[in-house]
Amino acid sequence: MISQKYKGIIFLCQLFLVAILVVSCQGSENSLIVNSPNNACVQNYDSNVDYFPNKVKVTHAKGFAVEYYKNYKVVTIKNPWKDAKTSLKYVLVQCGTPIPPGFEKSQVFTTPVNSVVSLSTTHLPHFSKLNVVDKLIAISDIKQVTTPDFIDKIKAGKLVSVGNNSTVNVEKILEINPELITTFGTGNQETDSFPKLLEAGLKVAINSEYMEDTPLGRSEWLKFTALFFNKEKESEKIFATIAKKYEDIAVKARRVKNRPTVFVGFNFKGTWYTPGGNSYVAKYLADAGANYLWSQDQSSGSLPISFETVFERAVNADYWLNLRQSWQTLKDVITEDNRYGDYKAFKIGNLYNNNARVNANGGNDYWQGGISNPDVVLSDLIKIFHPEILKNHQFFYYRKLSQ
């Protein structure tokens, strides 16, 4: 039996060991802050240290670029909106390090940012993938959200709406005072929100992913968001996985000899808007092993065409995709316009819509999660045109219109 004297000695030894472990852990933590500061503020700045050891490489997106320096990064938005006559530059400076000279006309952000307002629901999946959901404090419209992580946050009352474009509530955002606002621009000074926000002295970054003409190009803007959180390593890994999945299944579909014909869209107030042959939609269809009837067109935007022109080219097409969001059945289609019933695709029931994940307020996850998960969208499309290639795949964003 151990005497009380020895029990006391053992207890003191245990306390001593615990103290050593605590001091050791504290020392390691301080060392992390000094030597690997891209996850926290730098306490002892050293001009010789590269504070961004992990860097992104932009491989598919054409709209942004990043240059790395020892303690800051310069992000360039090459084409913020259609026909933009200027590029935009953002300077991202590691917290605790000096702001570099020569960027007086550029916005300067301190990274990693700790509070964000996002004025586009297409950016929300980025925060989920990068595990920074807690940093988001407001969005444009909580009713349109379909990203699961943010639905939970909305239910908990931790996310508020602040509007966007002409309805943006600048006063409310000033009260919140975020370190970063992500939004998009159209070049229309009357409706764009960012000029008002900049005038109010807020920090705004334009995300122009919608200008990209390939699915992977749009998806790669995840890396743009990651730059503000010093999450380069994570974004590289995430995007590499997405790109590999996309390419692996695209290779299978590109080998097919039988490429069914397809057209997309619908007639809206006398005009049928169909994607150009160099658009991201055309790229999706080509990679899915389909023959898009406007693939020879050289534009990347939407083509305004008459109903008659579309009918002449697409009346015998095998498939019709991307219809009006409210259409759920074939009856809905001909109720809108009985001329739709003359299309071969309608007669044989080959109508597929990207409205499988729409919430009660009309928020469509195809325009949120779909942009960040092009491999899943492509899998749906291949399942439509060549179901034998992906026998086990279940539709996620697309659905076949019922009778």
Side-chain angles (χ1 to χ4, degrees):
M1 184 177 249
I2 301 174
S3 68
Q4 288 298 115
K5 176 180 177 182
Y6 284 110
K7 284 183 178 180
I9 292 172
I10 292 170
F11 178 71
L12 287 173
C13 289
Q14 289 174 331
L15 284 177
F16 180 70
L17 287 171
V18 169
I20 289 174
L21 286 171
V22 169
V23 171
S24 175
C25 289
Q26 288 178 337
S28 298
E29 183 177 271
N30 288 334
S31 175
L32 174 67
I33 292 174
V34 174
N35 298 319
S36 301
N38 62 344
N39 293 318
C41 279
V42 176
Q43 292 187 349
N44 298 306
Y45 172 62
D46 183 345
S47 61
N48 295 315
V49 171
D50 181 357
Y51 289 97
F52 304 110
N54 299 309
K55 299 171 175 59
V56 297
K57 183 179 180 182
V58 184
T59 54
H60 290 80
K62 299 176 182 177
F64 78 97
V66 56
E67 299 171 87
Y68 285 92
Y69 299 88
K70 290 291 180 63
N71 73 305
Y72 66 97
K73 353 174 187 179
V74 178
V75 183
T76 302
I77 309 300
K78 300 177 183 178
N79 194 23
W81 49 81
K82 186 178 180 181
D83 299 325
K85 293 180 170 47
T86 183
S87 60
L88 301 174
K89 285 189 183 296
Y90 305 129
V91 183
L92 281 53
V93 182
Q94 174 58 41
C95 181
T97 71
I99 296 174
F103 293 100
E104 289 73 16
K105 294 183 179 181
S106 300
Q107 286 191 84
V108 178
F109 299 85
T110 298
T111 64
V113 296
N114 292 299
S115 56
V116 186
V117 169
S118 177
L119 300 184
S120 174
T121 54
T122 66
H123 306 164
L124 300 186
H126 296 183
F127 301 105
S128 292
K129 289 180 181 295
L130 295 170
N131 197 27
V132 290
V133 170
D134 60 314
K135 307 298 183 185
L136 198 72
I137 54 179
I139 58 174
S140 53
D141 184 2
I142 60 175
K143 293 181 180 179
Q144 296 296 310
V145 175
T146 59
T147 305
D149 287 341
F150 293 102
I151 292 174
D152 295 339
K153 197 168 182 177
I154 291 167
K155 289 178 179 178
K158 296 179 179 179
L159 211 55
V160 297
S161 294
V162 291
N164 194 15
N165 295 332
S166 59
T167 66
V168 67
N169 191 330
V170 179
E171 290 75 18
K172 194 170 186 178
I173 297 177
L174 281 169
E175 289 177 12
I176 298 171
N177 194 28
E179 295 179 17
L180 167 67
I181 301 171
T182 64
T183 187
F184 61 92
T186 64
N188 187 332
Q189 294 292 319
E190 298 297 321
T191 58
D192 280 343
S193 59
F194 72 90
K196 306 171 190 175
L197 299 168
L198 290 173
E199 187 178 346
L202 292 160
K203 298 291 185 68
V204 186
I206 297 289
N207 178 322
S208 57
E209 65 188 357
Y210 79 95
M211 295 288 292
E212 299 290 340
D213 55 15
T214 67
L216 287 176
R218 292 189 166 202
S219 176
E220 196 172 23
W221 278 78
L222 167 75
K223 297 179 183 180
F224 169 78
T225 301
L227 294 170
F228 292 88
F229 298 97
N230 293 340
K231 291 275 189 176
E232 280 92 335
K233 184 177 181 180
E234 292 86 344
S235 69
E236 280 288 318
K237 184 177 180 181
I238 294 166
F239 181 73
T241 300
I242 292 170
K244 186 177 188 308
K245 288 180 180 178
Y246 186 99
E247 291 296 344
D248 284 350
I249 56 177
V251 165
K252 296 177 182 179
R254 290 179 192 135
R255 292 173 183 160
V256 298
K257 294 181 180 179
N258 174 36
R259 301 176 72 86
T261 52
V262 59
F263 67 110
V264 302
F266 53 91
N267 189 44
F268 179 71
K269 295 182 179 180
T271 304
W272 193 304
Y273 294 93
T274 195
N278 278 332
S279 66
Y280 81 98
V281 174
K283 177 65 172 172
Y284 261 138
L285 297 174
D287 287 344
N291 176 18
Y292 176 46
L293 292 177
W294 274 265
S295 62
Q296 299 304 311
D297 174 78
Q298 297 300 307
S299 62
S300 57
S302 293
L303 304 173
I305 305 174
S306 68
F307 182 97
E308 292 73 21
T309 300
V310 174
F311 185 83
E312 183 179 352
R313 185 177 298 189
V315 63
N316 291 314
D318 300 308
Y319 291 89
W320 181 8
L321 270 61
N322 299 4
L323 316 167
R324 187 184 291 277
Q325 184 168 294
S326 60
W327 293 350
Q328 301 287 330
T329 67
L330 295 177
K331 184 178 179 180
D332 292 336
V333 179
I334 55 172
T335 298
E336 177 88 18
D337 190 330
N338 59 16
R339 293 179 298 175
Y340 289 139
D342 295 329
Y343 286 90
K344 172 188 170 182
F346 181 91
K347 293 177 180 178
I348 62 178
N350 279 346
L351 274 64
Y352 291 82
N353 213 356
N354 49 6
N355 62 350
R357 299 171 62 81
V358 178
N359 68 17
N361 298 303
N364 189 342
D365 195 39
Y366 176 84
W367 302 112
Q368 292 179 41
I371 293 173
S372 288
N373 298 291
D375 55 310
V376 181
V377 174
L378 182 62
S379 295
D380 276 5
L381 293 171
I382 292 175
K383 186 72 174 182
I384 293 171
F385 304 127
H386 305 285
E388 72 283 357
I389 294 178
L390 298 176
K391 295 179 180 178
N392 297 322
H393 177 74
Q394 300 295 317
F395 285 125
F396 195 79
Y397 295 111
Y398 277 85
R399 54 179 292 278
K400 186 174 185 177
L401 266 65
S402 58
Q403 294 291 333

